[in-house]
Structures are given as C-alpha cells and as structure tokens.
Amino acid sequence: MPELPEVETIRKQLQERIVGKKLNGKRITAVRRRAKLLIIDFVDGSSLVFHLKLTGQLLFNAQPSRYTRKVFVFDDGAQLVFNDLRKFGWWKKVKSFKEIEEKLGPEPLTLTLTVFRSRLVKRPKAKIKPLLMDQRFIAGIGNIYADEILFASQVQPIRRAGGLSLVEIKAIFQNIKKVLKAAIKAHGSSSQHYLDARGKKGQYVRYHKVYRRTGQKCPRCASLIRRIKMGGRSAHFCPQCQK
DNA sequence: ACAATATCCTGCGAGC
DNA sequence: TGCTCGCAGGATATTG
C-alpha cells in the first residue's frame, strides 16, 4: 500500500477539501492519519477508517473506473472515489477509533530515541527489516521505506536488533524521520499504483537509492544493488556499504 | 521468539 | 500469439 508518506499526502489534501462537509447527514470535523490508516472524523465522535493496502486509491471528485469499489457522496455533491485493483483495501465505520488504535505501535514521526531503543532491546533476535515493517513494533513503515531507511543508515536488512551498535541505532532512528519527511515533501512514491487524492503521482521514486534498483550501481559506493527474499518480500540493499 | 509460507486479488512484463 | 512464471507499496493466520 501506500505507506505513511502516501497516506499523509492524501490526508492533507482531503483535510482541505472535505472538512465541514456532511456525509450521510453527519458533519466532518477532521481528517487524520494513524500509521497507514486514514481516518475521517464526524461530529458525533464516530469515524470512517480506510486502509489502502497495496493498490487502494482515494480520489476526490474523480470519475469512477472499472476498479472503483465505492463512491462516497457529500451533501454538496462532491465525491470521494475509492479504487482498488487488488481488493485488499478496506473501509469501515467505527463508533470510536480506539477500537483500531490498540494494536498499533508508536508513530514514527513522534517516536523518541529512548522509546525506540527500549523496544529494540525487547526483540534482540529479530531481524531489523521485518521489525521496521512490523506495525506493532512501529506503525507506518512498509517495504519501500524500510529499504531506504536501512540504506541511509548503512545497515543490512538481515542484521539482528540485538547486534546493532548505539551508533547504528541512532542512525536508523534519525533516518526513519529523515526519509519519511523527505518522502512526504515529495508527495510519496508512485512506484506502481499510488495516486494522491488529486489523482497525481508522488515524486519520491526519484530519490530511491535501493528500492527496485537491483543490479544498478549504489549511489554511495558504486557496488551493485542486491535483492534478497525476506519472509516473502523483496529486500534491496548495497552489500558493500551497508554493514 | 522468530521464520517461512499461504492467503486474499488482479495485472504486467519477461521468456519460451 | 499465447502460455507460464515471478513480481507487485500489506497484513494476518498457521505451521515449524
């Protein structure tokens, strides 16, 4: 799916466009994001929650296509179109968002080094890449940004959390924020299906250093980028300058 | 505790 | 042209 930066981009755009409108008679008070979830809040405290998974799109005032699964119509006639080629995405109405909140780890952008370290210490045997993608450990990072964060930190994806030095932990911590913020600035990564609420592509693919660059030169040391399988997902890294 | 696999679903490009 | 294979931004359940 859209990972944190993509959902955050959609959130900002929808916030500007739909707050104050009514959906099914209820006024919208806010558009929030938690991890990779998009949340539309209503005046009565209830929420409409979306998860876009791999191929979901939320388009404002777009024409429905063959992949449109749902069209939400606002009181003024504006529309929110939910498209999803692979049908993994979902939406649901909840009385309170707390029902969903419980299972999620901390938000990457407000995470502190102390919290990050204390959570790593509890999982010494776990490999760092699956850990970064584990939504209970830290919520919002997926395959693209896990690879890019580890490249920026010069740490290989197969490293065990317990074997990381303090310098490496700090680097990963800082790069989580740095990479995600830069990606938000670029409106996310449109590697394949992602479009923002305006139907436009994100530009962060330009800055990808390793993700889907197998066999190309590492921008730091010119070694060839390698791809390995980790738990059914691809991990991309530089075998030379990531230790 | 951790790893690997299957699963939901559809499409695309590569190779034969 | 048409087939099969592998791949695809997620997350969960199951099994070892």
Side-chain angles (χ1 to χ4, degrees):
Chain A
M1 111 181 202
E3 305 181 29
L4 185 153
E6 289 76 26
V7 181
E8 180 61 18
T9 301
I10 294 169
R11 184 200 70 75
K12 285 183 188 167
Q13 294 170 347
L14 288 183
Q15 160 113 331
E16 288 175 11
R17 289 164 173 81
I18 69 171
V19 169
K21 295 187 195 297
K22 284 183 179 176
L23 191 60
N24 296 328
K26 292 194 286 187
R27 197 165 299 281
I28 295 166
T29 55
V31 183
R32 290 184 294 141
R33 178 193 59 74
R34 173 72 171 98
K36 303 176 190 177
L37 297 164
L38 188 95
I39 307 142
I40 297 178
D41 287 332
F42 297 97
V43 69
D44 65 353
S46 67
S47 303
L48 186 58
V49 182
F50 295 85
H51 198 314
L52 303 179
K53 292 290 182 94
L54 276 84
T55 57
Q57 301 172 338
L58 271 174
L59 304 174
F60 184 74
N61 277 349
Q63 287 297 317
S65 71
R66 58 184 291 213
Y67 302 119
T68 298
R69 310 296 172 202
K70 177 77 177 176
V71 178
F72 298 89
V73 182
F74 302 102
D75 57 335
D76 64 355
Q79 293 185 344
L80 188 58
V81 177
F82 184 95
N83 293 340
D84 191 10
L85 184 151
R86 284 170 75 181
K87 298 182 180 173
F88 294 162
W90 52 261
W91 66 89
K92 69 174 180 179
K93 285 186 245 177
V94 294
K95 284 189 179 167
S96 165
F97 182 67
K98 285 174 186 167
E99 298 169 30
I100 289 173
E101 173 70 35
E102 292 169 355
K103 298 165 191 166
L104 296 171
E107 270 295 309
L109 294 179
T110 52
L111 184 70
T112 64
L113 180 60
T114 311
V115 169
F116 185 53
R117 275 187 72 189
S118 68
R119 293 178 81 83
L120 279 176
V121 167
K122 290 176 192 154
R123 307 286 299 276
K125 297 256 179 83
K127 289 174 182 163
I128 187 62
K129 176 165 178 191
L131 211 45
L132 289 179
M133 292 173 66
D134 181 343
Q135 302 301 298
R136 289 165 308 239
F137 179 79
I138 177 173
I141 298 170
N143 209 26
I144 295 179
Y145 297 108
D147 279 356
E148 294 299 323
I149 287 163
L150 290 174
F151 174 81
S153 309
Q154 298 187 246
V155 170
Q156 291 207 7
I158 48 163
R159 292 279 302 282
R160 308 251 172 204
L164 296 171
S165 70
L166 185 52
V167 169
E168 288 172 328
I169 291 171
K170 277 186 184 166
I172 294 168
F173 170 76
Q174 284 163 0
N175 284 313
I176 285 171
K177 292 167 190 270
K178 200 171 164 185
V179 169
L180 294 178
K181 281 179 186 171
I184 290 169
K185 212 169 180 180
H187 300 301
S189 301
S190 290
S191 170
Q192 295 196 348
H193 303 277
Y194 168 72
L195 295 178
D196 68 20
R198 305 166 305 170
K200 296 192 174 174
K201 292 184 174 187
Q203 300 302 311
Y204 195 69
V205 187
R206 293 180 192 173
Y207 305 101
H208 289 185
K209 306 280 197 293
V210 286
Y211 182 75
R212 282 198 150 197
R213 295 190 71 251
T214 312
Q216 296 183 51
K217 283 183 181 174
C218 167
R220 195 160 44 211
C221 75
S223 298
L224 300 187
I225 305 296
R226 190 175 293 170
R227 179 167 70 91
I228 58 169
K229 278 277 178 192
M230 287 185 85
R233 310 295 300 277
S234 291
H236 311 76
F237 66 100
C238 173
Q240 182 63 37
C241 62
Q242 284 175 257
K243 304 296 180 191

